[in-house]
Amino acid sequence: MEPQDRVRVQLTVNGSEVSRLVEARRTLADFLRDDLGLRGTHTGCEQGVCGACTVLVDGVAMRSCLTFAAQLDGAAVQTVEGLAGDGDLTPLQEAFRRRHALQCGYCTPGFLMTATEFLRENPSPSEQEIRTALSGQICRCTGYENIVQAVREAAGTLQADQRRQA
Amino acid sequence: MPRVKTRGGIGEDILRIEDQRLLTGKGRYVGDLPLPDVLEMAVLRSPHAHAAIISLEDRGATDLPGVSCAMGGAALLQEAPHLFGGVQPPLATDEVLYVGQGVAVAVAEDRYLAEDALEKLFVRYRRLDVLADVERIVTQAGGDAASHDDAVIAFGEIDPLFAAADIVLEERLAIGRATAQPLEGRAILAVPEGEGLLIYAATQGPHGMRQGIASALSLPPERVRVVAQDVGGGFGVKNGTYPEDVLAAYLALKLQRPVRFQEDRREHFLSTVHSRAQVHRVRLAARRDGTLLAIDDDMLLDAGAYTARINYGMATAVTIPGPYHLSAYRCRVRNVKTHKVPVGPYRGAGRPEGNFVMERMLDALAERLGLDRAEVRRRNLIEPHEMPYDTLIPDRYGHGSIVYDSGDYPLALETALNAADLDAWRSRQAEPLADGRRIGIGIAMFTEDTGVAPFEMAVTELAADGRILIATGSPAQGQGHETSFTQIACSALSQTPDEIVYADTDTALVPAGIGTFGSRATVLAGSALYLACGKLKELLLQEAAAVLRQDKDLLSLSPGRVEGPEGSLALSELAAQAAAKGTPLRALADFRPEQATYADGCHIAIVAVDPQTGGVEILRYVIVDDCGVVISPRQVDGQIQGGLSYGVAAALLEELVYDEQGQLLTGSFMDYPLPTALDVPGAEIHHLCSPSPRNPLGVKGVGEGGTVPALAAVAGAVEDALRPLGGGMARELPLTPERVVRLIADAQAK
């Protein structure tokens, strides 16, 4: 197959069925942004290091800059646009707002997706666990402290919400 | 200072207004703007640091489907010679001067196709001699080293003081080349409109970019409109007009299609300005009791291939004296030409380097005299009763000498010392920790010129719906002006945030501006906005007095209304009347302070250093910061904490390493380590408030204060940790693990 050859992919993105013909070389990030118009996912390095482009693929955090759209036939992708839908912010997004965990906001979608997966796996993490879990995400503005505190706060909020529902 | 208290006004800890869209993926960064017929641009870059271009051959680039244009520098020069009038040509034509310099450009329906086109362009080079190491260049060339611009900043009689001093110290100190790395690279979208251009840009200074592009394209400035919406970080590097900006603007006009350039990370490393990159030979003269007498510094700045737009070596020169009494001072600045990426400002723009020099020399003086580091500083600090204090440092803008406006430096020092609980930490220094690591303590103080002149403008207008539109020439790249400027307007006009509409920074709204850098936006644009709000208030009350037939002096503003003793009026009604009369209620203010404001503070770093691996962990970090009146408390702390991460990075991590052939060896995030959540501690931040008398808000800048003293504080702490093991002075940044281990090895080898 040549890089420019087109491949049919069918997948769900934020719960909606999508079927597209894509170039084999097209990254998931470009597919989401330019083909589907979901421009909340940003690319920071396109080298897989900074984590800004992180999305969830079948619930697992992945670098959309290093993933080809053609690899995702049958997958379920969630992006930052799929977190809150059109409604209220999620507890994690709320905590980011309350704790001033973003400045320019460019890296924020990647942090939100990574932390969403992390809190699902580890609902009551220690600060050190949070710092380790976020160490694959680069933020140039905040110096991280408020992001760490936001994730801690979201963990508390998430637990409280679960207690209320139980 | 404003006294009116309103919900959401100055000093209130409100949530940020811009966060809702940024948290939900609805930011409006340049790369996110949907345009149906936009072309994407890519640039072919030189693989050589210095070479002659022999030929450029197109083997089918322009024949590829979807490719609109592909051309090299020589062809562009022939087609549009007027583009080549600036300091740096938009593309190299016959000679390349650094790895990464553009030699050809392509535009196509998407970036993939544009890069396909570049692969069909073949360039032949002949390599030439490379200038890479500034000290070697100066040694070999003597006084003839090619240099962009040199200067000497001096006051007092240096030589007699050195001749008579009890103590003379001399050191070589160095700060590595580094660059800002905002996560959004440079980005520009040029849209042809009428006879001119509408430009969306990730820029810190839209008006400067308008001037730069208009001048390069030989257009009248009014035909170029530049708009900055959401910008993904700036930190100094997204200022001025880059070659790619000129190319995108020119090609958009030529092709009559929108053209976007979105820099990728590799390009950012190889073409966005670098910074720091200084070597100092510095001498200090002091009395036996620790009294500073004079500093004499000779600075070499590795300036790269083209003259910097801002000579930040001068900022270094005026920062070195800091908060201390000094009888004489001399600093020679030499910007040495090398075959590397040109330099420019990067968070602090020369001030962290200057602070590093002075604070390290004070630590060396303390070491020499057997004095406590805090005590050496205490004995030399300028006292609050001396304010305003004439430093005698020549103002680099030719306005006489630098006069500090306000501040209590001794209080900053004592506040930090008390907060850091140093006695407890010192008691742990005698022995290593259980894991073999050693504790070190570093202290650094700073003063910093913030809100540097000359001016900013602001516009306020009663909008058709009765809300108040505010606009300035200083866009945000994360600083949250939408919130802080709204707070200023709320206080000035007795409104709540719901009644304020923050406009994108747009050259069509505000006649002139400088931009957001050098910790200046709140000081200058914020003050201009406050003044414009005051003027608008007068207009609103005057118009309302006529409508209500009441005495203007008895009227006042409340959220959405004008109140009077005999009835009130909604601002929306006032807006409707103004619209009917065809006279918009609009005010413009131009704020031009004579001098900068001077922020100050003190940092204390406590670190644990592993003498075996050279690893450094920051255990505690205390910051005392005085930025005058605080507009948006959470954002001020956010700036300080964020600034600290830059100081930590400069002290321990980031360095652009070049080899002797001018090849960048650290050109990706894999080998240019940015700080992560594991590297930056949460700082304990304390505030002092010495309002500046130089602006109506009493504010000073805060964007860089978190960075400036952190280099010296962390370096001093690492050095302190290794002293019991015979470690030497920490003279060179970043203190990578290798350099940390060498502090001991090199000292023992002597």
Side-chain angles (χ1 to χ4, degrees):
Chain A
M1 180 179 286
E2 293 299 315
Q4 290 96 326
D5 287 350
R6 286 172 186 265
V7 182
R8 166 72 59 186
V9 288
Q10 269 187 297
L11 64 162
T12 63
V13 177
N14 297 329
S16 301
E17 291 283 340
V18 172
S19 175
R20 287 283 198 290
L21 218 59
V22 297
E23 280 189 358
R25 64 179 174 177
R26 196 156 188 77
T27 66
L28 175 58
D30 289 337
F31 175 71
L32 292 169
R33 289 175 51 79
D34 297 336
D35 296 358
L36 303 185
L38 296 171
R39 294 192 170 84
T41 299
H42 296 137
T43 54
C45 68
E46 296 173 89
Q47 295 163 340
V49 185
C50 79
C53 67
T54 304
V55 299
L56 300 186
V57 176
D58 297 326
V60 177
M62 282 179 78
R63 307 292 211 221
S64 65
C65 74
L66 294 188
T67 308
F68 293 114
Q71 293 171 274
L72 293 185
D73 195 43
V77 175
Q78 190 185 16
T79 70
V80 67
E81 289 90 345
L83 284 179
D86 290 329
D88 294 337
L89 300 179
T90 64
L92 182 67
Q93 289 168 312
E94 271 295 341
F96 266 61
R97 180 149 194 249
R98 271 199 304 275
R99 289 283 177 173
H100 184 31
L102 62 154
Q103 289 180 24
C104 83
Y106 193 82
C107 71
T108 308
F111 271 93
L112 290 171
M113 302 318 289
T114 295
T116 296
E117 182 206 29
F118 170 65
L119 288 175
R120 202 168 52 222
E121 301 289 319
N122 186 352
S124 47
S126 68
E127 174 164 338
Q128 194 56 35
E129 287 172 333
I130 294 172
R131 285 187 179 271
T132 303
L134 297 179
S135 65
Q137 306 290 125
I138 301 289
C139 170
R140 297 298 286 149
C141 293
T142 62
Y144 301 103
E145 175 66 10
N146 288 355
I147 298 177
V148 173
Q149 298 311 324
V151 175
R152 285 183 71 176
E153 182 176 314
T157 310
L158 291 170
Q159 288 152 10
D161 284 355
Q162 281 157 3
R163 274 198 299 275
R164 265 201 299 279
Q165 282 162 15
Chain B
M1 236 194 308
R3 297 262 175 241
V4 185
K5 288 294 273 186
T6 48
R7 186 169 60 81
I10 289 170
E12 291 188 44
D13 192 24
I14 63 171
L15 297 182
R16 294 210 322 169
I17 297 162
E18 44 278 85
D19 285 358
Q20 181 77 25
R21 69 170 179 276
L22 301 178
L23 282 165
T24 50
K26 297 191 178 75
R28 299 158 306 140
Y29 307 90
V30 170
D32 299 346
L33 301 176
L35 271 189
D37 56 348
V38 65
L39 295 168
E40 303 284 346
M41 184 177 104
V43 174
L44 187 66
R45 298 182 183 281
S46 168
H48 302 298
H50 188 203
I53 299 174
I54 308 298
S55 64
L56 186 148
E57 191 187 342
D58 179 350
R59 298 188 192 160
T62 37
D63 303 333
L64 290 174
V67 174
S68 298
C69 168
M71 66 165 83
L76 184 67
L77 176 63
Q78 202 161 28
E79 176 179 299
H82 61 286
L83 300 179
F84 288 72
V87 171
Q88 178 171 357
L91 291 172
T93 52
D94 52 1
E95 185 182 14
V96 288
L97 297 181
Y98 59 93
V99 172
Q101 182 167 18
V103 296
V105 62
V107 288
E109 296 298 324
D110 68 26
R111 173 79 183 226
Y112 292 77
L113 296 170
E115 291 188 17
D116 287 348
L118 296 183
E119 287 185 5
K120 304 254 178 218
L121 298 177
F122 290 81
V123 186
R124 283 182 56 220
Y125 297 95
R126 188 179 69 247
R127 289 168 62 171
L128 300 168
D129 288 343
V130 172
L131 297 171
D133 182 285
V134 287
E135 286 170 294
R136 191 174 307 155
I137 293 166
V138 170
T139 306
Q140 287 173 354
D144 298 331
S147 174
H148 294 296
D149 41 37
D150 293 352
V152 175
I153 293 274
F155 67 84
E157 292 292 323
I158 284 278
D159 297 332
L161 287 168
F162 271 93
D166 300 328
I167 313 273
V168 173
L169 302 176
E170 181 168 0
E171 293 292 347
R172 175 190 177 277
L173 302 174
I175 302 101
R177 200 172 240 260
T179 186
Q181 307 290 349
L183 270 200
E184 178 204 39
R186 290 183 290 124
I188 181 170
L189 172 56
V191 185
E193 218 183 48
E195 292 180 347
L197 287 164
L198 167 59
I199 287 173
Y200 296 96
T203 180
Q204 298 174 232
H207 289 89
M209 177 176 265
R210 173 177 69 172
Q211 187 58 45
I213 286 178
S215 146
L217 269 59
S218 305
L219 286 172
E222 60 273 15
R223 293 235 194 107
V224 180
R225 175 182 169 197
V226 179
V227 181
Q229 301 186 330
D230 292 320
V231 179
F235 318 113
V237 302
K238 286 183 183 165
N239 213 343
T241 307
Y242 280 89
E244 293 88 348
D245 299 326
V246 173
L247 289 173
Y250 169 71
L251 292 170
L253 269 187
K254 173 185 164 175
L255 301 168
Q256 284 297 303
R257 293 264 306 266
V259 172
R260 173 159 43 206
F261 172 68
Q262 174 89 53
E263 178 188 61
D264 70 23
R265 189 54 49 184
R266 183 170 162 69
E267 294 182 293
H268 187 85
F269 273 101
L270 293 177
S271 63
T272 292
V273 291
H274 295 174
S275 195
R276 315 262 194 253
Q278 296 181 359
V279 181
H280 296 256
R281 293 272 176 189
V282 57
R283 295 191 303 145
L284 173 151
R287 291 206 190 100
R288 202 167 290 110
D289 64 1
T291 305
L292 263 175
L293 296 172
I295 296 280
D296 185 12
D297 183 43
D298 189 350
M299 177 199 319
L300 298 178
L301 202 154
D302 172 1
Y306 291 96
T307 302
R309 194 179 45 78
I310 289 177
N311 182 354
Y312 64 85
M314 298 291 276
T316 305
V318 301
T319 301
I320 287 173
Y324 309 106
H325 293 117
L326 207 52
S327 300
Y329 176 61
R330 181 168 61 199
C331 180
R332 181 181 182 197
V333 184
R334 279 184 282 177
N335 287 286
V336 182
K337 279 189 186 178
T338 55
H339 292 114
K340 299 180 189 170
V341 175
V343 295
Y346 165 29
R347 203 155 187 170
R351 296 163 186 85
E353 300 92 307
N355 183 270
F356 177 75
V357 168
M358 185 62 158
E359 295 295 316
R360 291 276 58 217
M361 292 307 285
L362 286 173
D363 286 349
L365 180 60
E367 181 79 17
R368 171 72 167 268
L369 294 172
L371 276 173
D372 184 88
R373 287 173 169 180
E375 183 57 28
V376 161
R377 289 170 170 80
R378 198 178 279 126
R379 291 183 187 181
N380 289 289
L381 285 174
I382 296 161
E383 299 284 330
H385 66 79
E386 298 176 86
M387 293 291 172
Y389 180 80
D390 188 344
T391 64
L392 304 178
I393 306 164
D395 181 310
R396 61 203 150 108
Y397 303 101
H399 298 160
S401 60
I402 287 173
V403 179
Y404 293 163
D405 50 349
S406 62
D408 189 337
Y409 308 151
L411 181 61
L413 176 62
E414 302 309 326
T415 304
L417 291 171
N418 288 334
D421 194 17
L422 287 189
D423 289 344
W425 289 103
R426 285 203 178 104
S427 70
R428 296 175 63 185
Q429 288 191 284
E431 296 295 325
L433 302 176
D435 58 11
R437 295 190 299 171
R438 310 290 308 210
I439 301 270
I441 300 168
I443 300 176
M445 302 194 65
F446 78 100
T447 53
E448 185 202 9
D449 56 333
T450 66
V452 172
F455 78 94
E456 282 295 337
M457 291 185 183
V459 169
T460 53
E461 184 173 339
L462 182 63
D465 62 359
R467 293 190 298 166
I468 287 153
L469 180 106
I470 61 174
T472 75
S474 295
Q477 307 88 43
Q479 297 89 342
H481 296 164
E482 189 165 351
T483 302
S484 54
F485 287 5
T486 294
Q487 290 183 265
I488 291 170
C490 284
S491 281
L493 293 164
S494 308
Q495 302 298 305
T496 69
D498 287 345
E499 286 87 33
I500 307 295
V501 182
Y502 173 87
D504 292 328
T505 307
D506 184 341
T507 58
L509 284 178
V510 181
I514 306 289
T516 302
F517 56 90
S519 302
R520 71 193 297 283
T522 305
V523 179
L524 290 151
S527 293
L529 175 62
Y530 185 74
L531 297 175
C533 286
K535 287 184 172 181
L536 182 69
K537 181 179 177 178
E538 282 301 301
L539 276 178
L540 295 176
L541 295 182
Q542 197 177 313
E543 289 296 310
V547 175
L548 292 169
R549 294 173 198 281
Q550 294 185 39
D551 184 352
K552 170 172 158 279
D553 294 341
L554 299 177
L555 300 181
S556 63
L557 290 172
S558 72
R561 301 194 73 79
V562 182
E563 309 281 352
E566 296 160 40
S568 71
L569 179 69
L571 288 177
S572 56
E573 288 173 49
L574 202 56
Q577 302 227 2
K581 277 202 285 184
T583 51
L585 295 174
R586 189 166 187 274
L588 168 74
D590 180 355
F591 180 63
R592 291 177 187 263
E594 291 205 344
Q595 281 234 6
T597 59
Y598 288 84
D600 70 274
C602 181
H603 286 204
I604 296 182
I606 294 153
V607 303
V609 182
D610 187 328
Q612 300 298 318
T613 66
V616 177
E617 181 189 2
I618 299 174
L619 302 175
R620 182 133 194 261
Y621 205 95
V622 173
I623 294 177
V624 175
D625 189 271
D626 189 342
C627 61
V629 172
V630 168
I631 306 289
S632 174
R634 61 178 49 218
Q635 295 205 101
V636 163
D637 283 358
Q639 284 296 314
I640 293 170
Q641 173 71 30
L644 171 61
S645 73
Y646 284 79
V648 169
L652 299 176
L653 298 169
E654 60 182 18
E655 184 169 21
L656 295 161
V657 180
Y658 277 86
D659 71 9
E660 290 181 357
Q661 292 307 309
Q663 290 291 338
L664 179 62
L665 303 180
T666 56
S668 83
F669 286 167
M670 267 83 83
D671 30 37
Y672 182 86
L674 297 176
T676 73
L678 293 171
D679 300 307
V680 188
E684 177 184 319
I685 301 169
H686 301 264
H687 293 281
L688 301 178
C689 181
S690 307
S692 175
R694 293 183 180 157
N695 61 71
L697 295 167
V699 293
K700 302 177 178 184
V702 74
E704 293 157 317
T707 304
V708 171
L711 286 66
V714 172
V718 171
E719 174 187 298
D720 186 50
L722 298 180
R723 283 291 191 199
L725 303 176
M729 183 177 181
R731 299 178 173 90
E732 189 161 359
L733 298 185
L735 287 164
T736 55
E738 181 188 350
R739 287 201 182 110
V740 170
V741 169
R742 280 196 182 165
L743 287 182
I744 304 172
D746 290 354
Q748 286 170 349
K750 278 179 188 166

